[in-house]
Amino acid sequence: MGKKVVVLHTSFVFIERERMILDLMAELLPDVALTHIVEDTMLAQVREVGHITPVVTRRMCYYALAAEAMGADAIFNACSSLSPTMNAARQIVNIPIVKIDEGMAEKAATVGSRIGVLATVPTTLDPVIGLIDEKAAALNKSVETKAGLASGAFELLMTGEKARHDDMVVQKAKEVGKWADTLVLAQASMARLAPRVTAETGLPVLSSPRLGVEYLKRVLEQGK
């Protein structure tokens, strides 16, 4: 019998609009059975107050416990903004939890020295920067990071104004790219812009979907 992964979502974006995660899972993990848990109110609550609350952490832990009870071999957290909640969840489940941006953060810490971190949701920035710092520390390497927020772009994407969203992200990438030697697209919803950002900044650009699923694949293989 193949492996089973439960994917935790805090938005329908990867189900309805940006389906690259599902495509990558099919490509890289064709024999893995996926189950999706979607709870689309927590991210709005976190964005409203500007930080993760204990109540939200508890709810994410409940979903991790549910995933384990469903027989999952691993949990894949698809929300960068709420990835810190998985640190608590790891203490109460006995299966691996992979954050979508772990592979990206690991590679950024490996290849970059001045890393520009781009986001369209402000609450994503600190978790991703923190994860890059964590991976750099594990490599015994010192890196610098600079945040670049394309404020308002996520709302445009959610209302279908993809072109305006894209232009805002690219403009912010150009600004941060004047300082950085590596750029990170902190949200998977930005990943399809990597080729354009590379072309317009001349810098290496990392995004989470493929690197995240590759990281998940490594975790599953190590558990054999």
Side-chain angles (χ1 to χ4, degrees):
M1 183 178 296
K3 300 281 187 176
K4 180 177 181 178
V5 170
V6 170
V7 185
L8 303 183
H9 302 268
T10 59
S11 167
F12 281 94
V13 64
F14 298 134
I15 305 294
E16 297 177 345
R17 297 184 185 276
E18 303 286 353
R19 295 178 59 85
M20 82 288 284
I21 294 292
L22 303 183
D23 294 340
L24 286 166
M25 293 281 193
E27 174 193 341
L28 298 173
L29 299 169
D31 298 323
V32 171
L34 299 180
T35 300
H36 300 273
I37 297 177
V38 186
E39 211 270 56
D40 66 345
T41 63
M42 290 185 293
L43 182 57
Q45 293 167 1
V46 169
R47 292 176 63 198
E48 182 178 354
V49 300
H51 60 87
I52 297 170
T53 64
V55 170
V56 167
T57 297
R58 186 161 61 247
R59 282 159 65 184
M60 288 294 282
C61 286
Y62 288 153
Y63 293 127
L65 287 167
E68 184 176 44
M70 292 160 65
D73 295 288
I75 295 167
F76 187 77
N77 175 51
C79 179
S80 297
S81 288
L82 270 63
S83 69
T85 66
M86 294 295 98
N87 298 333
R90 282 171 170 159
Q91 304 304 310
I92 60 172
V93 298
N94 296 309
I95 56 176
I97 297 177
V98 173
K99 302 174 184 179
I100 188 172
D101 36 24
E102 281 195 90
M104 176 183 69
E106 183 179 74
K107 186 162 185 178
T110 301
V111 304
S113 296
R114 297 190 311 277
I115 303 166
V117 182
L118 305 172
T120 60
V121 176
T123 50
T124 302
L125 289 167
D126 284 347
V128 172
I129 289 171
L131 195 53
I132 291 171
D133 289 340
E134 177 186 313
K135 297 296 184 181
L139 295 168
N140 196 28
K141 181 182 176 185
S142 177
V143 300
E144 295 179 83
T145 56
K146 177 176 286 190
L149 177 65
S151 183
F154 186 76
E155 289 76 11
L156 291 173
L157 181 64
M158 290 297 95
T159 57
E161 296 187 66
K162 186 178 288 188
R164 288 181 62 197
H165 164 275
D166 294 358
D167 289 344
M168 289 177 67
V169 171
V170 172
Q171 180 57 40
K172 185 58 65 173
K174 289 179 179 178
E175 294 173 15
V176 177
K178 294 175 182 178
W179 169 86
D181 60 31
T182 304
L183 293 175
V184 164
L185 302 178
Q187 293 157 228
S189 57
M190 305 159 70
R192 59 187 171 74
L193 289 172
R196 179 179 169 187
V197 174
T198 296
E200 298 201 28
T201 64
L203 296 174
V205 178
L206 304 178
S207 62
S208 59
R210 179 172 291 276
L211 292 170
V213 177
E214 288 175 349
Y215 194 98
L216 172 63
K217 183 177 181 179
R218 283 179 9 221
V219 168
L220 290 171
E221 289 173 346
Q222 289 166 2
K224 287 182 180 177

